[in-house]
Amino acid sequence: MDSTRDKRALHALRKHIDGLLDAGAVITSRDPLTVLSAGETLKVKHGLLVGYTDILDMIEPVTDHEWPESLRQMAVDLCVKQLDQAIEALNRSSATAKVHLAANDGSITG
C-alpha cells in the first residue's frame, strides 16, 4: 500500500477553512473541528461548515450532558419563559405597527 497517498477528503472544504485561517480565524477544537472566525463559531458537521452564533454557541454543550431532573426542569422553565417574553415582544411590536398603519390610512375620513 502506498503510504504517500493523500487520504484526506473534502478538499473544497479544507481549502475554504484554510482561507478562513489565512484571514485570521482560529481553530478552537479538533473533534469536531471548530473554528472561530470574525466572532462566529463554525463547526464541521457531516462534511459541512455550520455556523453558530450567540445563544446557539451554548446549546450544544448543554445538550451533551446528563442533567439531574430538577436542573433540567429549571432550564426548561427558563427557556419557556424567555420564549414567552420573545413572543410577547413580537406581538407588541406587531400591534404597534397595525396602529400606525390605521392612523396613516388615507381611506379614513372624518
Side-chain angles (χ1 to χ4, degrees):
M1 180 155 203
D2 185 12
S3 62
T4 61
R5 185 173 161 225
D6 187 2
K7 297 178 184 177
R8 295 177 287 185
L10 306 171
H11 296 286
L13 177 60
R14 292 177 58 83
K15 185 176 179 180
H16 180 68
I17 292 171
D18 286 341
L20 291 172
L21 295 172
D22 290 342
V26 177
I27 294 176
T28 59
S29 173
R30 295 233 178 236
D31 189 21
L33 181 65
T34 306
V35 177
L36 183 61
S37 175
E40 183 175 21
T41 302
L42 307 168
K43 292 187 181 195
V44 174
K45 297 277 189 165
H46 306 289
L48 299 172
L49 191 61
V50 180
Y52 295 81
T53 56
D54 301 328
I55 194 72
L56 293 178
D57 285 336
M58 296 182 344
I59 291 173
E60 199 167 78
V62 168
T63 59
D64 286 345
H65 301 288
E66 287 291 322
W67 288 64
E69 183 59 33
S70 61
L71 192 54
R72 181 182 324 145
Q73 189 58 48
M74 189 178 4
V76 167
D77 292 342
L78 178 61
C79 290
V80 169
K81 180 180 177 183
Q82 290 178 342
L83 182 58
D84 286 342
Q85 289 172 345
I87 290 170
E88 261 182 51
L90 183 62
N91 287 339
R92 277 194 306 270
S93 68
S94 178
T96 303
K98 287 179 184 176
V99 168
H100 288 303
L101 285 175
N104 294 328
D105 190 350
S107 65
I108 298 175
T109 57

